[in-house]
């Protein structure tokens, strides 16, 4: 049976006399309860109704040679997998083998009945929250509308088409590939809009910029091409007589009296959809949790000719209601409040309401004038925030496979790594409500790109109209989330235009510039500002921020380190050398590739693919041109690559070494950016954000991610826990023959009486050769150099050479307890180090923690210092307390946080240990 949601405004008059607990009283109570229950199935005119049409549909291809059961929400690929028509789309070369699915036209159908009283409503609308992508919708063989934008909610009036029983709905989708190609051919008579196709290494399909669809579904340099079709979000029927509340736009701001904070105010815009353009009067109520804030009588809803209306008002929260500020992760708590707006229409007492969850906080993007350029950082509740985090891509090429639990897992991993910000990248999707809800709960700030990436786009009327509706709807849906702090118009399109990434740009540069401004500045920007003036709009990322605006929205160099944000990649130089990196104001993308673990790859490959030095399968998954060569060259700079006859063992070792190189490179780069936050050198610096590329994977493949598809942490993510720690010790060679050490603090209070320990170890012994103690105080939210010492002098005192020693650094407080993570610096490439021994590592014992359920304490012993000790619990979901670390003690304990029930015997049996010396 289809589910029917009923929202009624029930009125029952209280009896004047008091009943005792008599049989009569019980009978009347039961009768009233049953009446309400029955009326909920046979609604009165006082109700708003929703008939959910999600569930089981039927999908068929163009000639009906394939007919399968389909899920809504869902998509055709997962439907074909579920019914056995396809295997795992991610297995081996199936991204090419299954390309035929995207070339077909698929039709989704189902039958449904509608209750009589539902049909008695003045308006009955079909509401499709997400259609992917180009479709024609029919009910009872009558066309009710079309779709051409994956990111738009479609609403169609279907009252006159419906009948009580045996209704049939169908959505006929057109191949996105052929649609995009047709739009390209239509445009081609005027001029080409690049890029025409993705690079051959991506093994993708062409013309994605002509269709408002997940851009990376046509392929990317880290993802496959699976341009799906289907009803990817919920669909159903709405029935009402007068009006419904479609959206609430909510902003919070502090109220001050005589320069003293008093309370908070809430600005609310209520967006209605009505049955016609006639005005209606009613009562408006606003609640914050269970507290009634206001109740307005005789409120008039005045629709426009299309039946849209809005009411805007401000509310001051009474001072007797306790309000607590919402903070980013690491700066405070994340209290959230339910805000409910209800409207009861006077003539028939029909009630409509909507609830959103809000947080009370202020956010500012600060771009102050400096001697050379502008600052660029975020301030939340008046406090400057160093943005620590990463970039989010779609968690699966098939959005219907992404569960709330998986989002929770990935975002919790973000918080666990001391991050406070994610950038939702512009080539994917506007994420689900669950994603932003969880970000709100965890204090993860969201830099929200609009869905345009690495392309120029059409600017014909049809395209711009669709984009305008998309942007309006998405901002209204998302803006109440306190986690979202900025809107950005696109990913890298200003830079692509200025740098002429495609040869065609040079032939019609003026035309493309005009088109760029028409799309982002004349169309999108006014909508963003109108719908949400509480956040900054950036036209692109990277951009020069305010300086880009002053330059007419196309800067001469969008990557100028004196302004805004930059994207920085450098694969030709040594990623372990901090000197190769810039000193920007804010870095919103940077990174290095690595391979996934063998545990992740083995699930989508077979033994024939696990070959070394060349794996055809691994090369097929490498969508970044020369990516494999870059990884190998980076490894060779510092470590020994496996011999050519190493076979499967060499294959696995290469995966491990690639993760070391990625982790060390991004560690080096991130620590440098954090060290640059407090000073300016030659006009550059005051860096206040580091978001590496990328957090998660869309499938099992070489990529820049720190978390593999499925949720397993790479070595990089374990390193991120440390290099994003609120108190960080960061050593470096300063280029003048010295070892210097910076200490970086995110804390809002000074850290006093700290001691920096500089410890020198020879590779062949656990016994330290030297320990230098430096006592200091750390001011709040600063980076400062604590220690500078001649490297030659230290080596002389320790009686070792660069190749023989490793330096370890850590902090202790006045009580001698360690504060923050330790850190180390290698003075020579590890393949040139002398004294490193092949260790014998023993698992002494594995016990279940007596404190935390699902936690295992793993006791280990080793007979030698181990760089990059790597632990794995084969096929057990979870992560370790530390991993990929430098082990400088003979005995140590590591914890494993399991996500599933296992016993200690199984945990010990599945433990695997890899060390650098294994190669």
């Amino acid at each position: 049976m289809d589910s029917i949601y009923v929202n009624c405004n029930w009125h029952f008059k209280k009896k004047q006399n008091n009943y005792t607990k008599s049989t009569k009283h019980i009978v009347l109570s039961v009768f009233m309860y049953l009446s309400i229950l029955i009326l909920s199935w046979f609604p009165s005119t006082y109700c708003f109704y929703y008939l959910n049409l999600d569930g089981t549909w039927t999908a068929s291809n163009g000639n009906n040679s394939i007919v399968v059961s389909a899920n809504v929400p869902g998509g055709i690929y997962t439907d074909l997998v579920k019914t056995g028509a396809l295997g795992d789309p991610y297995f081996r070369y199936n991204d090419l083998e299954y390309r035929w699915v995207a070339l077909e036209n698929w039709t989704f159908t189902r039958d449904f009945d509608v209750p009589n009283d539902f049909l008695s409503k003045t308006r009955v609308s079909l509401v499709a929250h997400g259609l992917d992508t180009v479709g024609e919708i029919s009910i009872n063989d009558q066309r009710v509308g079309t779709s051409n934008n994956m990111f738009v909610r479609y609403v169609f009036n279907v009252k006159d088409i419906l009948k009580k029983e045996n209704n049939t709905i169908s959505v006929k989708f057109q191949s996105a590939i052929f649609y995009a190609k047709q739009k390209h051919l239509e445009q081609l008579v005027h001029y080409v809009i690049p890029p025409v196709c993705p690079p051959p290494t991506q093994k993708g399909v062409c013309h994605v910029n002509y269709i408002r669809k997940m851009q990376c579904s046509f392929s990317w340099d880290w993802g496959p091409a699976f341009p799906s079709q289907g009803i990817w979000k919920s669909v159903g029927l709405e029935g009402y007589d007068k009006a419904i509340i479609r959206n609430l736009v909510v902003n919070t701001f502090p109220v001050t009296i005589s320069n003293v904070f008093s309370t908070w105010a809430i600005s609310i815009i209520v967006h209605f959809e009505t049955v016609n353009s006639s005005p209606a009067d009613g009562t408006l109520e606003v609640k914050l949790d269970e507290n009634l804030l206001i109740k307005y009588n005789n409120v008039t809803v005045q629709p426009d000719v299309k039946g849209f209306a809005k009411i805007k008002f401000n509310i001051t929260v009474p001072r007797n209601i306790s309000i607590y500020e919402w903070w980013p992760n690491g700066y405070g708590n994340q209290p959230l409040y339910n805000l409910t707006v209800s409207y009861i229409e006077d003539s028939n007492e029909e009630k409509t309401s909507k609830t959103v969850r809000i947080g009370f906080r202020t956010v500012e993007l600060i771009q102050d004038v400096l001697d050379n350029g502008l600052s660029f950082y975020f301030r939340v509740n008046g406090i400057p925030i160093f943005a620590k985090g990463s970039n989010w891509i779609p968690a699966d090429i098939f959005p219907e496979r992404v569960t709330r639990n998986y989002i929770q897992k990935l975002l919790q991993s973000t918080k666990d790594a001391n991050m406070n910000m994610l950038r939702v990248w512009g080539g994917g999707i506007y994420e689900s409500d669950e994603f932003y809800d969880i970000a709100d709960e965890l204090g993860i700030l969201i830099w929200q790109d609009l869905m345009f990436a690495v392309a120029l786009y059409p600017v014909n009327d049809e395209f711009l109209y669709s984009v305008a509706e998309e942007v309006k709807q998405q901002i209204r849906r998302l803006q109440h989330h306190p986690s979202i702090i900025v809107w950005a118009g696109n990913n890298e399109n200003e830079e692509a235009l200025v740098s002429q990434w495609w040869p065609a740009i040079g032939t019609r540069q003026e035309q493309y510039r005009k088109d760029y401004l028409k799309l982002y500045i004349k169309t999108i920007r006014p909508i963003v500002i109108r719908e949400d003036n509480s956040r900054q709009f950036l036209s692109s990322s990277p951009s020069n921020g305010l300086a880009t605006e002053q330059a007419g929205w196309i800067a001469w160099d969008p990557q100028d380190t004196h302004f805004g944000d930059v994207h920085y990649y450098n694969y030709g130089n040594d990623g372990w050398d901090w000197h190769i990196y810039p000193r920007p104001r804010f870095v919103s993308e940077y990174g290095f590739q690595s391979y996934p673990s063998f545990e992740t790859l083995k699930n989508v490959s077979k033994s024939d693919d696990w070959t070394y030095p060349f794996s055809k399968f691994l090369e097929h998954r490498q969508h970044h041109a020369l990516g494999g060569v870059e990884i190998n060259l980076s490894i060779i700079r510092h470590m020994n690559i496996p011999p050519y006859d190493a076979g499967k063992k060499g294959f696995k070792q290469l995966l491990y070494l690639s993760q070391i190189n990625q982790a060390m490179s991004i560690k080096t780069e991130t620590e440098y950016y954090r060290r640059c936050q407090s000073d300016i050198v030659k006009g550059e610096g005051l860096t206040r954000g580091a978001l590496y590329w990328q957090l998660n994977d869309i499938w099992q493949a070489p990529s820049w991610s720190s978390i593999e598809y499925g949720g397993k942490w790479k070595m990089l993510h374990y390193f991120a826990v440390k290099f994003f720690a609120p108190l960080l010790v960061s050593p470096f060679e300063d280029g003048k023959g010295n070892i210097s050490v910076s200490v970086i603090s995110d804390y809002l209070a000074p850290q006093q009486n700290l001691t920096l320990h500089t410890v020198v170890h020879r590779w062949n012994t656990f016994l330290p050769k030297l320990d230098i103690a430096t006592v200091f105080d750390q001011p709040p939210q600063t980076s400062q150099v604590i220690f500078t010492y001649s490297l030659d002098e230290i080596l002389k005192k320790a009686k070792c050479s660069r190749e023989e020693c490793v330096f370890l650094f850590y902090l202790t407080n006045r009580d001698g307890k360690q504060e923050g993570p330790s850190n180390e610096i290698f003075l020579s490439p590890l393949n040139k180090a002398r004294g490193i021994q092949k260790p014998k590592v023993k698992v002494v014992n594995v016990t279940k923690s007596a404190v935390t359920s699902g936690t295992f304490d793993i006791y280990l012993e080793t007979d030698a210092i181990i760089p990059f000790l790597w632990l794995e619990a084969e096929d057990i979901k979870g992560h370790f307390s530390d991993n990929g670390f430098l082990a400088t003690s003979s005995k140590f304990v590591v914890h494993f946080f399991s996500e599933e029930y296992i016993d200690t015997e199984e945990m010990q049996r599945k433990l695997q240990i890899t060390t650098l010396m294994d190669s």
Side-chain angles (χ1 to χ4, degrees), residues 5-6 43-45 47-51 117-118 121 237-239:
Y5 168 74
V6 185
S44 74
T45 59
C47 301
F48 160 77
Y49 315 107
Y50 183 80
L51 177 65
D117 284 359
F118 202 107
K121 307 307 291 181
L237 295 172
E238 292 176 343

Side-chain angles (χ1 to χ4, degrees), residues 200-252:
T201 52
Q202 293 184 16
K203 305 168 184 66
V205 287
C206 304
H207 317 304
V208 69
N209 48 336
Y210 286 91
I211 184 169
R212 293 311 297 147
K213 179 178 174 65
M214 181 198 295
Q215 299 289 273
C216 64
S217 69
F218 276 49
S219 81
W220 217 263
D221 55 4
W222 35 253
F226 284 105
S228 191
Q229 300 169 42
I231 304 168
W232 76 291
K233 288 191 174 183
S234 186
V235 62
L237 295 172
E238 292 176 343
Y240 56 97
D241 287 318
K242 286 292 183 179
I244 62 166
I245 297 175
R246 179 66 71 195
N247 291 106
L248 297 180
V249 173
V250 181
N251 292 319
T252 62

Side-chain angles (χ1 to χ4, degrees), residues 489-544:
N490 63 72
N491 171 74
E492 297 182 347
N493 295 346
E494 182 189 357
E495 170 66 13
L497 181 62
V498 171
S499 300
Q500 299 186 24
W501 285 2
W502 307 286
I505 294 178
T507 66
R508 304 183 70 99
Q509 188 169 130
E510 198 57 39
Q511 179 68 58
Y512 294 126
R513 285 174 171 255
K514 181 180 177 182
D515 291 353
Y516 179 91
L517 295 174
K518 187 174 183 179
L519 176 59
Y520 300 109
I521 307 307
K522 295 181 180 179
T523 302
I524 291 176
R525 181 174 178 266
I527 297 172
V528 174
I529 293 173
R530 182 181 70 239
E531 299 296 336
D532 180 20
N533 62 8
S534 70
R535 296 173 178 87
Q536 184 75 36
F537 171 75
L538 299 172
S539 55
S540 185
S541 176
S543 83
N544 292 344

Side-chain angles (χ1 to χ4, degrees), residues 790-839:
S790 167
L791 176 59
D792 289 340
E793 288 294 321
I794 295 180
L795 292 174
K796 184 177 179 180
K797 288 184 178 181
K799 298 180 180 180
C800 64
S801 67
R802 295 177 69 104
E803 293 77 18
E804 293 172 317
C805 287
V806 59
F807 284 26
L808 181 70
F809 306 84
Y810 64 95
L811 301 173
T812 56
N813 59 24
R814 70 181 71 191
D815 299 322
K817 181 180 178 182
Q818 183 169 334
E819 294 283 350
S822 60
N823 208 340
E824 63 274 342
I825 189 169
F826 304 118
L827 300 176
S828 73
L830 291 170
N831 52 14
K832 298 186 184 310
R834 297 200 299 268
I836 294 184
Q837 302 170 5
K838 185 174 177 62

